[in-house]
Amino acid sequence: MSKFKDKNTKSNMDIKTNYKDKKYKKVVNGIELQKALNDKDTEIIFLEDGEYNLLNNKITISLDNKIIVGSDGAVFIDEIVIKADAFLQRVKFINKSKTYRNDVIIHILGGAEVVLDGIIIDGCNLEETVGINLEKNSGSKITLMNSYINNVDTGIEVNENNILGKIINNKFSNILIGIKNLGQGSVIENLYNVIYNTFEFKEKGIAIAFSTGVNLGKDKVRLVTDGINFARILSINNGYALVKGYGIFNHISTKTFKVSNGEELDKAIQNSDNGNIILLSKGKYYGNICITKEIAIIGEDDVSIIPSENYDEDFTQYGLRINSSNLFIKNLTIDGKGNGKLRKDICYFRDGIRYEGEINNNNKFVNIHIKNIRRRGISIWPENIRGTEIRNCIVENVLEQQYIYMNGSGKIKNCILNNAVVSICQSMDYAKNKK
């Protein structure tokens, strides 16, 4: 639906201006609307205030490239069926169906590519109601922006062999599941275009549910194999929403813990499962933090990892001790002189970040400030490490050895290493793969 790619956030006036030479109609009821939809020459349809439905059928879009623009008082009161490419803006749907369960409010099929912008869907809390349904194996695509889906069990039901396009800046309220049936053959075109959405649940619910066979990409579609990173990106980009895996991804959940002190942090790490996210509130946390699960640890504001005054001076302290793969660590300061109760002339952390396990792959460190370290800023010494990413980090005042010691393969991007004697020590394997 290339026609709509640059027009899916236009205002009514923009549409009128850009299509001033096109044929348009104003309609006041469902019968007039269906006639306009069946007219191959009519491209834009403006809805006047009123209720829109058909007595013995569903309003159906069967011809490509129809644009429907609503008004404040225009309301669809029954299911609409979309079988062709279409763009709907400022349209309201209120479920007044006499069926009390298994209702679908917008049903998309036939390979249609549909853009919905600024729409409102109210399912009226009828049982098992779905806001937007893409018929199984229909090769259809949905783009949803700036919209509000309320009082339904499921916001968007993607289903097999359909496509999720841009899902941006929407509110899902009083629901059980926001987006579901992202499974066998379904595709998210761009993971970073599912963003800025909020989810509020009727009861304990799930924002996004995905399972075996979900794919990513547009021109080159690939099967999702890294379920933790997939779920984590979706969660972080949508306000730490709960993303849950099923099938082979059944062990993955982005349950979020928010902690404000070291004791809470320790408990959160112990109680976490793969894919969980731990948010650190502003403050100072003792180091020697041992991470053994595939989780994310993110500082929200001015979070420092500092040495403890309760250790004997002969006891080796590190900032973070890494014993897991698929970690995402962001927005921390690791300061070997950060504890005002200790001597100011000693760097108490031997390493800022130290790998301890032999197989710690695909770890990402972003926006980490490491300073006042005795030996190494970041020490990745095992030889078989793969997929490390160190990005937007600052390392300074490392006394003895390397600011970054990098074995295995990975990337170091956009980092600042201040006044280093040896900035980066890399293995031959890293040197071959750093690009």
Side-chain angles (χ1 to χ4, degrees):
M1 191 169 51
S2 59
K3 179 174 183 178
F4 300 137
K5 284 182 179 177
D6 296 324
K7 300 178 176 63
N8 52 24
T9 57
K10 299 291 186 183
S11 67
N12 291 10
M13 186 57 67
D14 290 329
I15 291 172
K16 289 179 180 177
T17 301
N18 283 285
Y19 288 86
K20 60 184 179 181
D21 297 326
K22 304 297 181 180
K23 184 176 179 181
Y24 69 87
K25 287 185 177 179
K26 294 181 179 181
V27 299
V28 297
N29 58 48
I31 295 173
E32 290 186 4
L33 172 59
Q34 191 62 64
K35 287 181 180 178
L37 289 170
N38 293 340
D39 179 1
K40 62 182 178 59
D41 295 322
T42 300
E43 287 199 69
I44 308 175
I45 302 168
F46 292 97
L47 307 180
E48 299 291 312
D49 291 355
E51 292 187 345
Y52 289 80
N53 72 318
L54 297 176
L55 290 178
N56 299 311
N57 214 328
K58 310 292 186 185
I59 293 173
T60 301
I61 302 175
S62 300
L63 299 179
D64 276 338
N65 301 326
K66 297 297 184 184
I67 298 173
I68 300 176
V69 182
S71 61
D72 291 340
V75 181
F76 284 80
I77 60 171
D78 201 354
E79 175 185 344
I80 180 173
V81 178
I82 305 178
K83 300 180 179 180
D85 297 357
F87 172 36
L88 282 68
Q89 184 179 64
R90 289 187 62 225
V91 178
K92 185 183 298 183
F93 300 84
I94 296 179
N95 189 2
K96 293 186 178 181
S97 170
K98 294 180 181 179
T99 303
Y100 291 101
R101 58 191 304 125
N102 299 317
D103 268 4
V104 171
I105 296 173
I106 300 176
H107 186 197
I108 301 171
L109 66 157
E113 298 187 16
V114 178
V115 177
L116 306 175
D117 179 31
I119 70 163
I120 296 173
I121 295 176
D122 188 343
C124 297
N125 284 319
L126 298 182
E127 292 184 37
E128 300 180 24
T129 300
V130 177
I132 301 167
N133 170 271
L134 281 66
E135 187 171 276
K136 291 181 180 180
N137 301 310
S138 68
S140 301
K141 174 182 172 182
I142 180 64
T143 292
L144 179 71
M145 296 177 293
N146 310 312
S147 296
Y148 180 49
I149 299 180
N150 183 42
N151 297 326
V152 297
D153 279 5
T154 301
I156 304 173
E157 197 170 55
V158 182
N159 294 318
E160 293 92 330
N161 297 307
N162 292 310
I163 303 168
L164 200 66
K166 295 180 180 179
I167 309 295
I168 300 175
N169 194 37
N170 303 292
K171 182 175 181 179
F172 298 79
S173 179
N174 201 29
I175 59 170
L176 291 177
I177 303 178
I179 302 171
K180 81 171 186 178
N181 287 4
L182 276 168
Q184 191 64 45
S186 63
V187 179
I188 296 182
E189 279 194 341
N190 186 332
L191 200 57
Y192 295 93
N193 280 338
V194 181
I195 191 168
Y196 306 134
N197 302 290
T198 60
F199 301 86
E200 298 173 358
F201 304 109
K202 295 180 181 180
E203 50 194 73
K204 188 175 182 180
I206 299 169
I208 302 172
F210 72 101
S211 63
T212 311
V214 65
N215 297 270
L216 276 176
K218 186 174 182 181
D219 298 323
K220 295 182 179 180
V221 176
R222 64 191 186 279
L223 187 68
V224 172
T225 56
D226 183 358
I228 286 180
N229 192 54
F230 175 87
R232 182 180 290 152
I233 291 170
L234 286 174
S235 177
I236 292 173
N237 287 344
N238 294 280
Y240 302 107
L242 179 60
V243 180
K244 179 75 176 69
Y246 295 89
I248 64 170
F249 303 120
N250 190 54
H251 62 293
I252 297 172
S253 165
T254 62
K255 178 181 178 180
T256 299
F257 300 84
K258 188 166 184 176
V259 302
S260 59
N261 57 57
E263 182 179 353
E264 291 178 354
L265 175 57
D266 290 342
K267 287 182 180 179
I269 293 174
Q270 291 172 13
N271 295 328
S272 63
D273 294 315
N274 290 339
N276 287 182
I277 298 170
I278 301 175
L279 302 179
L280 278 63
S281 299
K282 179 178 179 178
K284 294 185 177 183
Y285 299 77
Y286 287 141
N288 265 342
I289 299 169
C290 185
I291 306 171
T292 59
K293 299 174 183 177
E294 300 180 8
I295 60 176
I297 296 179
I298 301 172
E300 291 193 289
D301 179 39
D302 193 16
V303 172
S304 295
I305 308 300
I306 64 170
S308 172
E309 70 275 13
N310 296 321
Y311 285 108
D312 187 279
E313 288 190 7
D314 294 330
F315 187 89
T316 302
Q317 295 193 63
Y318 301 96
L320 303 180
R321 297 162 54 199
I322 306 301
N323 288 276
S324 180
S325 297
N326 292 315
L327 297 177
F328 182 72
I329 313 295
K330 184 178 180 181
N331 297 343
L332 304 178
T333 294
I334 301 174
D335 185 357
K337 292 184 176 180
N339 189 335
K341 297 178 182 179
L342 295 171
R343 289 172 54 180
K344 295 295 185 183
D345 59 335
I346 296 177
C347 297
Y348 286 90
F349 285 149
R350 186 170 187 253
D351 299 334
I353 298 174
R354 172 180 168 80
Y355 273 45
E356 296 186 338
E358 292 284 347
I359 304 176
N360 297 327
N361 296 322
N362 303 315
N363 291 331
K364 294 180 173 62
F365 304 95
V366 181
N367 296 340
I368 309 295
H369 186 183
I370 301 172
K371 59 183 179 179
N372 302 319
I373 306 298
R374 189 164 74 249
R375 189 182 69 143
R376 293 174 178 164
I378 300 175
S379 180
I380 303 173
W381 58 266
E383 295 181 357
N384 297 318
I385 299 299
R386 297 290 180 268
T388 303
E389 182 176 335
I390 303 170
R391 176 163 46 92
N392 300 334
C393 294
I394 299 173
V395 185
E396 56 187 338
N397 194 29
V398 176
L399 301 184
E400 296 176 0
Q401 296 186 25
Q402 305 88 5
Y403 277 38
I404 299 176
Y405 184 88
M406 169 74 88
N407 250 330
S409 65
K411 298 177 181 179
I412 301 172
K413 300 172 64 176
N414 197 34
C415 293
I416 298 172
L417 310 178
N418 285 328
N419 302 318
V421 176
V422 180
S423 297
I424 300 172
C425 179
Q426 61 191 56
S427 69
M428 292 302 294
D429 191 20
Y430 169 75
K432 288 187 293 183
N433 290 283
K434 67 178 179 178
K435 294 182 180 181

